[in-house]
Amino acid sequence: MTDRSLRPSDPAFVGGHRVLARLGEGGMGVVYLGRTETGALAAVKVIQAEYAHDEEFRARFRRETRAARRVDCPWVVKVTGADPEAEQPWLATAFEPGPSLADAVHRHGPLPVGAVRVLGRQLARALDAVHAVRLVHRDVKPGNILLAVDGPRLIDFGIARFADDTAITSADLVVGTPGFLSPEQAAGGGQLGPASDMFSLGCVLAYAATGRPPFGGGAVDALLYRTVHDRPDLDGVEEELAAVLLRCLAKVAADRPTAAELDAALVEDVPPATADWLPEDVVRLIAERSAEMMALPEIEATLADAPQPTAPSRRRFLALTSGGAVLAAGGGIAAWAALRSGSRRAKGPAAPGWALGVQADLSGPGKAAGQAQEQGARLAVEQFNALGERAFTLELRTADDGGSADRAVTAAQRLVADPDVLAVLGSSADATTQAALPVYDAALLPVISMSAGQNLLQNVRSFVRGRPLHNAVAMKLAFQLKATSSATPVGLLLDRSGGDVSWMSIQMINLVLRKYGDTTHPRVIPAGTTDLAPVLDDMRAHGIRAFVYAGPAEGAIRAARGLARFDGPKYAAEPALDARFAAEPTAEGWTVTASAIGIEAPSVHTFAQAFRTRYGHAPGLWAAEGYDAANLLIRELTAANGKRPARAALATSLKTARYQGITRAFAFDAETAGTPMLATPASFVHEVRGGAFRYLGPAPDKAPRPKGK
């Protein structure tokens, strides 16, 4: 079950609603499950204090709340109350216990074409009602659509605006969820109209039909670029439906259908207001989510040490259903799910073991980094088990994904199915981590990654990233260049073989260097290019005096060979931190900035000695990061005072963890795109010397002051 427990700082009452549990937390506030004196349940969103002190925000919130209360549509959650004048303004809507569209697709895959058509028609009617009161929702996404047996519900007016309002903040701020933004939102534009919501709805329906966003995933900057410039990916969508979606996904707002036009364009014969529109497994999920809500603590259990029932009793089941808890699934379905789940739990589990999992590429192209992390984590576990006084013995279970996204799903499923595994380090690559996260998130199995640096755009609740994003590391590379060289112009080579990581790195480096007054000469080569001579000749002909490469290690080797006689400073982005590149004779003197620390770092000295004793050789790059991640997870396990923690509780505590490791200080800031960010990002500088990487130290946090400043 999702951890919905209240925190000491949470209120007991909000506007006449008795607060029962946390439903979620976003950028503008916390959403609670509340019950009125009449027994009706509501989702109560309490706005953060920083907005509450803004009088302009209060005035706008007051207007938008009045408008939202006028929205009259069965497919939009009903606004049941609000107080814009409260110390912390709040808004209450009818509570829907069903899963979100994002949850349903993650668990059970794309919806059938008929279900997508029904979904589209009803959401079109929802948006038509929203637009009729001159509101623009601005965050239509799978996570804001709840599924019930009689149809979907559009939720969250948290960032809704009047159609003729200007942007909520500065023009360069993107508001909404990347992957489901309109081109005008992605470009950071000012005024947004109903057509923006229609583009987002097109993205949602494409996601429902295929299981993937139509403009892909990965780094935010790259995703926004594709939204503005690229054709949507509708492969696998039925031809007639694809034609309708292409109209919604038109780049020009005026070319998109209105909500009413989309409603008319989507024809489906499924009977309305029945469960027939959804696949059986999704109906079952709706029932289970309704039953989960019934397992919340009693209203009277307000003390911190109050017992938490594991399954609803018959008395509680009857009391809750009569109080209005079953709103979407229907009493019969929810009763079946509650009693069925209760009978399973009555048997009681066997005495569990304690284990950490490691998912990594242990046999594929990235096996050096994967094996290093596994060895570092194993050393941490063995050191813990060697302690004289400890509450439990820990095991390490591994799952090799071979660097393959398909194998990553299987590896994650194996660790999820192991009842002893309480948390996972992994995966060791961006693509495999992104593929595995839906599996871990569905089980609320906590995961920390130390080497995946892309912005993995998913509604993940159990994932933390123990390293900075790739663009943050690229920024440090630009700072290192400015701190060590005044050479300009700088040649920037983007190798498309490196995917979004390369694009993101070069964009950031180009931005920083231009800000500091340098001239740059950027060039792009298509994926798979093996002959770099023409582009390198072009760069030299334009008089470049320094060079930066962003792409895979194989491409970095080709660039080093092609620039063997170039005597200017040469730099490469993180993927070049590979022993194969360091062993290339022409790579001598190249500088690489990465998130992995060097084994020569003073803080790593004791670990490196212990590693040599255990394995008979020096630790590889990323081994110290694996050691840190395992020790952070061990620290969270020991905080349970000998009691086996639930996976969901551990996932929650991990997001607020504070730990001083040998590679960095671990502390996590507020969530961005669903993932807590490392508050103290660490990047390090390495130089190729004598066929190996020599550690130079932490990368600078800023560049020298620009000339004339």
Side-chain angles (χ1 to χ4, degrees):
M1 180 189 295
T2 302
D3 181 17
R4 304 185 187 278
S5 55
L6 295 172
R7 302 174 188 174
S9 59
D10 288 329
F13 288 89
V14 174
H17 298 82
R18 175 69 166 91
V19 175
L20 304 180
R22 275 180 167 241
L23 294 178
E25 185 171 1
M28 297 189 70
V30 179
V31 182
Y32 299 102
L33 176 64
R35 176 178 281 128
T36 66
E37 292 181 356
T38 64
L41 294 179
V44 186
K45 185 164 190 174
V46 179
I47 304 300
Q48 289 182 359
E50 61 187 272
Y51 296 103
H53 297 311
D54 184 341
E55 287 305 318
E56 182 181 349
F57 172 85
R58 279 187 183 271
R60 186 170 63 245
F61 184 75
R62 190 181 301 116
R63 285 195 302 146
E64 292 162 4
T65 298
R66 286 198 297 264
R69 297 185 80 157
R70 297 200 306 271
V71 175
D72 184 15
C73 178
W75 316 124
V76 180
V77 289
K78 183 76 173 174
V79 175
T80 59
D83 187 357
E85 314 306 329
E87 182 176 352
Q88 283 189 262
W90 58 270
L91 175 74
T93 61
F95 173 66
E96 297 288 349
S100 70
L101 175 64
D103 288 340
V105 172
H106 281 165
R107 286 172 178 264
H108 301 296
L111 298 180
V113 63
V116 176
R117 289 178 175 276
V118 173
L119 181 74
R121 292 199 72 179
Q122 293 172 331
L123 290 176
R125 293 171 187 179
L127 285 177
D128 193 38
V130 170
H131 298 161
V133 297
R134 296 177 46 251
L135 281 178
V136 181
H137 190 283
R138 302 209 312 168
D139 200 19
V140 179
K141 62 180 180 180
N144 277 342
I145 296 162
L146 300 183
L147 300 181
V149 291
D150 62 341
R153 302 293 191 278
L154 180 64
I155 67 170
D156 197 353
F157 287 91
I159 59 174
R161 294 296 306 274
F162 277 98
D164 53 358
D165 279 355
T166 54
I168 192 169
T169 53
S170 61
D172 59 353
L173 176 62
V174 175
V175 179
T177 303
F180 300 93
L181 298 175
S182 65
E184 50 267 37
Q185 283 178 294
Q191 185 169 321
L192 300 174
S196 177
D197 283 344
M198 297 309 299
F199 187 96
S200 298
L201 179 55
C203 293
V204 166
L205 297 179
Y207 171 83
T210 66
R212 61 185 184 273
F215 297 100
V220 172
D221 288 347
L223 179 55
L224 298 181
Y225 179 89
R226 293 195 298 270
T227 299
V228 174
H229 299 287
D230 288 2
R231 182 179 176 85
D233 173 14
L234 297 179
D235 286 351
V237 181
E238 184 261 339
E239 184 177 354
E240 186 177 347
L241 177 60
V244 175
L245 297 186
L246 280 174
R247 291 181 58 203
C248 294
L249 297 173
K251 303 299 184 186
V252 179
D255 294 338
R256 300 170 203 151
T258 64
E261 290 169 343
L262 178 61
D263 180 13
L266 293 171
V267 179
E268 179 55 44
D269 294 331
V270 174
T274 72
D276 294 343
W277 76 285
L278 284 172
E280 183 179 345
D281 51 5
V282 177
V283 175
R284 185 181 298 267
L285 178 60
I286 293 171
E288 290 173 350
R289 285 298 171 86
S290 299
E292 180 181 318
M293 286 298 101
M294 296 180 201
L296 290 168
E298 297 276 11
I299 295 178
E300 294 78 14
T302 56
L303 297 178
D305 58 352
Q308 304 295 312
T310 57
S313 67
R314 179 174 175 80
R315 178 186 62 81
R316 285 190 61 228
F317 165 70
L318 293 173
L320 283 166
T321 52
S322 64
V326 188
L327 298 181
I333 296 176
W336 165 80
L339 296 176
R340 186 171 181 272
S341 62
S343 64
R344 285 200 307 267
R345 282 194 287 261
K347 298 178 181 178
W354 297 60
L356 295 180
V358 173
Q359 179 185 337
D361 179 359
L362 302 177
S363 59
K367 65 182 180 182
Q371 291 174 355
Q373 290 186 59
E374 185 272 335
Q375 290 173 335
R378 188 171 299 280
L379 178 60
V381 168
E382 292 175 353
Q383 288 178 342
F384 171 77
N385 288 337
L387 295 176
E389 295 183 5
R390 49 181 165 75
F392 55 89
T393 298
L394 196 59
E395 294 184 45
L396 194 74
R397 311 273 171 87
T398 60
D400 179 14
D401 59 37
S404 161
D406 291 338
R407 287 182 61 182
V409 173
T410 303
Q413 290 170 338
R414 186 161 72 250
L415 292 177
V416 164
D418 186 337
D420 293 350
V421 174
L422 298 175
V424 173
L425 164 62
S427 175
S428 52
D430 289 298
T432 50
T433 301
Q434 188 165 23
L437 280 183
V439 179
Y440 290 123
D441 193 53
L444 277 181
L445 179 58
V447 180
I448 181 170
S449 175
M450 298 300 296
S451 51
Q454 279 191 274
N455 205 349
L456 306 171
L457 297 170
Q458 305 193 40
N459 287 321
V460 289
R461 299 159 291 177
S462 57
F463 176 63
V464 296
R465 185 185 292 105
R467 57 151 296 159
L469 293 170
H470 289 306
N471 58 357
V473 178
M475 179 172 62
K476 297 293 187 72
L477 186 154
F479 291 164
Q480 175 69 14
L481 189 157
K482 292 303 300 175
T484 56
S485 171
S486 59
T488 187
V490 182
L492 306 177
L493 182 54
L494 164 58
D495 187 341
R496 287 288 189 186
S497 300
D500 287 342
V501 174
S502 300
W503 183 90
M504 180 166 48
S505 298
I506 287 297
Q507 289 288 97
M508 176 60 72
I509 294 166
N510 190 46
L511 177 68
V512 173
L513 294 182
R514 287 179 177 271
K515 175 181 177 181
Y516 282 89
D518 283 344
T519 301
T520 61
H521 186 68
R523 286 292 180 267
V524 180
I525 55 174
T529 301
T530 57
D531 182 7
L532 303 189
V535 69
L536 295 178
D537 289 345
D538 170 82
M539 288 181 150
R540 282 190 291 259
H542 281 81
I544 64 166
R545 298 179 58 201
F547 178 80
V548 179
Y549 172 83
E554 298 84 355
I557 292 172
R558 286 190 282 268
R561 291 171 179 170
L563 292 174
R565 298 183 180 180
F566 178 73
D567 58 4
K570 290 163 281 192
Y571 304 81
E574 184 177 290
L577 193 73
D578 187 300
R580 294 171 296 169
F581 178 66
E584 166 60 39
T586 58
E588 184 77 6
W590 279 63
T591 299
V592 178
T593 302
S595 179
I597 200 170
I599 62 171
E600 304 93 341
S603 63
V604 178
H605 179 70
T606 302
F607 159 77
Q609 286 184 320
F611 191 99
R612 287 188 180 93
T613 300
R614 167 63 176 85
Y615 295 106
H617 59 82
L621 290 164
W622 301 105
E625 281 72 23
Y627 181 79
D628 261 358
N631 275 318
L632 170 58
L633 295 173
I634 291 170
R635 204 282 306 272
E636 292 301 300
L637 290 175
T638 57
N641 296 320
K643 297 180 180 179
R644 176 185 169 92
R647 287 173 168 181
L650 191 59
T652 299
S653 68
L654 186 60
K655 293 184 178 183
T656 58
R658 298 291 185 270
Y659 176 69
Q660 179 59 56
I662 61 174
T663 66
R664 68 209 66 198
F666 290 86
F668 301 100
D669 276 343
E671 295 190 5
T672 300
T675 304
M677 303 292 290
L678 196 67
T680 52
S683 299
F684 306 97
V685 183
H686 306 263
E687 187 179 51
V688 178
R689 289 294 179 197
F693 287 108
R694 181 167 66 93
Y695 176 66
L696 299 185
D701 289 326
K702 58 184 179 180
R705 187 180 297 274
K707 298 176 182 179
K709 298 287 186 178

